[in-house]
Amino acid sequence: MSPPSLCSAPPRAGPPPPPLLRPRRPASFSVRASRAAAPSVSDDLVLRIAEQLEDSAPSSPLLAPLRSASALSLLTTPWPTRRSNEAFRFTDISYLRSLPISTPTRTPGLAPPPPSSDLESHVLFSDGRLVAAAGAHVSALADMPPGHARDRAAAAIAASARFSHRDIFYDFNAVGASDVAVVHVPEGAKMAGDPVHIMFAYSGSDGASSLMMSNPRVLVIAEKGAEVAIVEEHFGVGEEDGGCYWANPVVDIIVEEGARVVHSYVQRQSSAAAHTKWTTVQQNTSSKYEFVEVSTGARLNRHNLHIQQLGPETETDLSTFHLTSQNKQIHDLHSRLILDHPRGFSRQLHKLIACGTGNGIFDGNIQVNRYAQQTDAGQQTKCLLLSPKAVVNVKPNLQIIADDVKCTHGAAISGELDPNELFYFQARGVNANTATDALLFSFGAQVINRIPFKAIEKKALAQLKELLAVSRQSN
C-alpha cells in the first residue's frame, strides 16, 4: 500500500567504463516505439514516465546520443525497491508512487516569479525549464555558436551516454531534459572570486493533484588551469514556497588538468517535494574539487555524488550537512569516490541531525585502486539522533587495493550531546536549553561555514537556526 501523501489527491499506486550502447543502434531511440515493437523487462510505471518525458518537450539534437542511451536503458530498468535493489536498501522511495506523475505544462512566464540573483553570472531554471543564462562563459546549449566551446560541450554530453553507474533517476533526467545550461571556463581563466549562481525554482502542479516532475541539467567544464566557483540553490516558489513536485536534476562537472572548481550546493525544497539529484565529477591531473552541501528541505531527498580522479596528484574535498526536521523526512547521500592514480588526496566529512521520525542515510564508498599508490584518503561521518523514533543508517567504507596508502574512516552516531560540552556552558551560567541550541547550531555550522560566499552562508545559517527552533517545539 502506498504511504499517505502530503498533498490533497488520493494515493496511487578504474579505467573508463565500456560503452553501454549496442554497437549498431539507430541514431535516435524512442521508448514508445521500442515498447510497441517488442516487450521489455522494465515495469509499466517506468515506461509510462519515460514516455511522458519523451513527449513533454523537444530537446536539442546535441542531446540525442544521451537521450537515446537512457531510453534504451529504461527498457530494462525496473522501479527500484528496498528489497530488489541494494542501493535503495535503507531508502524508501514509495512517496514517488503516491501520486500520478505529470510534466510541466504552463510556460515559465506564468509560474510564480523566483527571487533574482545579485550575481552577474547566473542561470535560472523554472520547473526544469532553462529560462535564463547570463554572464561570462555561461550559455544554454541550444544557443551556443559553433566553435570550440560548443564542440567541447557536445563531446562531454555524448560521453555521458556511456556513464556506467547510472540509475533510473539519471536516465529519467537524460530523457526529460530539453536543454542544458553550460558553464565553460576557457584555459587559464580565473572566476573563483565571481561565482556562477545557478538557481532551480519549483512551483509544483496546479491543485497539487500530481507530482510534477522536472529534469534540469547543468554541465560545467573548467579547462586546463581554469578556476570557477558555482553556487547551486534549489527552492520552492509560490504558495508557501512551493507544493508537491518532483525535482530530478543532474549536474556534470569536468575539471581539467590544473583546474579548480569550488562547488556550493544548498537544497531547501518544499516540505512536500521529492528531490533526487545526481552530481558527477571527472578530475584530471593536479586538479582540485571542493564541495559543500547543505540539505534541509524535501519530504524525500536523495543525492548521488560520483567522483572519479583521472590523473595523479588530484585533490578532492567533500563536506555535507543534512537535517531531517520534519516527520517522515528522508535524507540520503550516496557518494562514490574512485582513485586510480598515484598521490591522490581526498577528505570527506558528512554530518546529519535527525529529529522526530526522520530518516538519515549515508553510503560513502571510496575505492583506492591498484595504481593509486601514495594516496591519502580520509572519511568521517557524525550523526545526532534527537528523537527515539529517528533512524540513521550509515555505511562508510573503503575499498583498498593499493598497498602504499594512508587511509582512514570513522563513524559516530549519538543520541545525545556531549555532557562535558553541556557542562561547560552551564558552569558559565548558560541554561540547558540555550546550551543545547548552541551546540546543535555549531554542529551544522561547521559545514555551512565552509561555503565561501557570505550571502549564501548567512542565509543557510539563518535557516538552520529557524528549523532547529521549530524542531524543538515539535519534539
Side-chain angles (χ1 to χ4, degrees):
M1 180 178 296
S2 298
S5 168
L6 295 183
C7 302
S8 58
R12 162 195 161 173
L20 294 182
L21 309 184
R22 293 184 293 189
R24 293 185 180 179
R25 67 169 178 84
S28 180
F29 188 90
S30 165
V31 170
R32 186 183 301 278
S34 177
R35 187 183 184 189
S40 73
V41 297
S42 184
D43 57 53
D44 189 60
L45 176 62
V46 173
L47 298 177
R48 286 203 315 269
I49 294 175
E51 289 174 358
Q52 282 182 270
L53 296 176
E54 283 185 333
D55 297 340
S56 62
S59 64
S60 166
L62 296 177
L63 289 173
L66 174 61
R67 195 172 195 182
S68 296
S70 289
L72 181 63
S73 175
L74 288 171
L75 289 175
T76 57
T77 305
W79 185 267
T81 66
R82 299 176 68 178
R83 299 182 66 178
S84 66
N85 193 314
E86 177 64 23
F88 292 84
R89 178 182 175 188
F90 301 113
T91 310
D92 182 5
I93 62 169
S94 58
Y95 181 58
L96 297 176
R97 306 186 70 141
S98 65
L99 285 171
I101 305 299
S102 63
T103 55
T105 54
R106 59 187 171 190
T107 59
L110 298 178
S116 59
S117 175
D118 296 328
L119 299 176
E120 180 180 352
S121 299
H122 60 270
V123 174
L124 173 61
F125 287 92
S126 178
D127 289 327
R129 294 179 178 175
L130 181 56
V131 296
H137 314 305
V138 179
S139 177
L141 177 66
D143 297 335
M144 297 181 76
H148 171 72
R150 185 176 185 270
D151 293 343
R152 187 74 174 86
I157 291 170
S160 64
R162 299 187 295 273
F163 180 53
S164 61
H165 297 276
R166 68 202 319 140
D167 69 358
I168 192 172
F169 302 132
Y170 188 93
D171 285 331
F172 279 155
N173 177 280
V175 172
S178 59
D179 203 351
V180 179
V182 179
V183 180
H184 178 265
V185 186
E187 182 175 341
K190 308 294 183 182
M191 294 180 58
D194 183 20
V196 179
H197 192 188
I198 307 177
M199 298 170 290
F200 301 80
Y202 308 91
S203 60
S205 56
D206 294 326
S209 59
S210 65
L211 276 175
M212 187 169 73
M213 184 183 186
S214 55
N215 296 277
R217 195 175 188 100
V218 176
L219 173 63
V220 179
I221 302 175
E223 298 283 11
K224 183 177 180 179
E227 294 186 5
V228 62
I230 57 175
V231 179
E232 189 183 342
E233 280 195 287
H234 298 257
F235 49 86
V237 296
E239 297 182 7
E240 298 181 358
D241 289 333
C244 254
Y245 54 83
W246 178 2
N248 186 44
V250 170
V251 176
D252 295 320
I253 300 174
I254 299 174
V255 194
E256 293 292 5
E257 180 180 352
R260 175 178 175 234
V261 172
V262 179
H263 184 188
S264 303
Y265 162 51
V266 179
Q267 185 272 111
R268 46 185 178 88
Q269 301 280 27
S270 157
S271 61
H275 186 84
T276 53
K277 181 180 189 293
W278 266 94
T279 302
T280 72
V281 183
Q282 299 177 39
Q283 290 186 253
N284 284 284
T285 302
S286 301
S287 64
K288 296 182 180 180
Y289 175 68
E290 303 164 32
F291 175 73
V292 181
E293 172 185 352
V294 180
S295 289
T296 57
R299 165 75 177 268
L300 167 64
N301 171 56
R302 179 182 174 96
H303 184 197
N304 287 285
L305 175 61
H306 184 279
I307 302 171
Q308 187 160 11
Q309 294 188 355
L310 301 176
E313 300 177 353
T314 306
E315 298 183 21
T316 306
D317 192 300
L318 312 174
S319 303
T320 58
F321 171 66
H322 289 181
L323 170 64
T324 63
S325 58
Q326 313 162 32
N327 284 335
K328 298 183 179 180
Q329 186 178 18
I330 298 173
H331 276 300
D332 177 6
L333 173 64
H334 269 62
S335 66
R336 182 190 298 267
L337 172 60
I338 303 174
L339 300 95
D340 280 315
H341 298 271
R343 298 178 298 282
F345 178 89
S346 72
R347 288 291 182 269
Q348 181 174 23
L349 173 64
H350 168 263
K351 305 190 81 171
L352 181 142
I353 298 176
C355 309
T357 57
N359 184 6
I361 302 103
F362 171 63
D363 188 325
N365 179 264
I366 299 178
Q367 298 179 19
V368 185
N369 293 325
R370 176 179 299 177
Y371 299 108
Q373 303 294 342
Q374 299 180 349
T375 286
D376 184 348
Q379 182 188 70
Q380 188 175 36
T381 176
K382 298 181 178 180
C383 303
L384 282 175
L385 283 77
L386 302 186
S387 165
K389 294 184 179 181
V391 177
V392 169
N393 291 283
V394 297
K395 186 183 174 184
N397 60 93
L398 286 168
Q399 299 176 353
I400 304 173
I401 300 177
D403 55 12
D404 180 13
V405 299
K406 178 183 177 182
C407 297
T408 61
H409 71 140
I413 302 175
S414 176
E416 60 182 13
L417 294 168
D418 187 339
N420 292 325
E421 294 178 346
L422 287 171
F423 176 77
Y424 177 88
F425 278 91
Q426 291 176 300
R428 286 155 178 78
V430 179
N431 64 54
N433 287 341
T434 303
T436 298
D437 291 342
L439 289 173
L440 291 176
F441 181 81
S442 64
F443 183 87
Q446 180 186 2
V447 172
I448 297 175
N449 289 150
R450 299 185 182 188
I451 297 176
F453 309 106
K454 290 301 179 182
I456 305 298
E457 176 196 6
K458 184 177 179 181
K459 187 190 304 183
L461 288 172
Q463 188 186 38
L464 171 62
K465 187 175 182 179
E466 178 184 350
L467 291 174
L468 287 175
V470 171
S471 176
R472 168 178 284 279
Q473 295 174 0
S474 300
N475 291 331

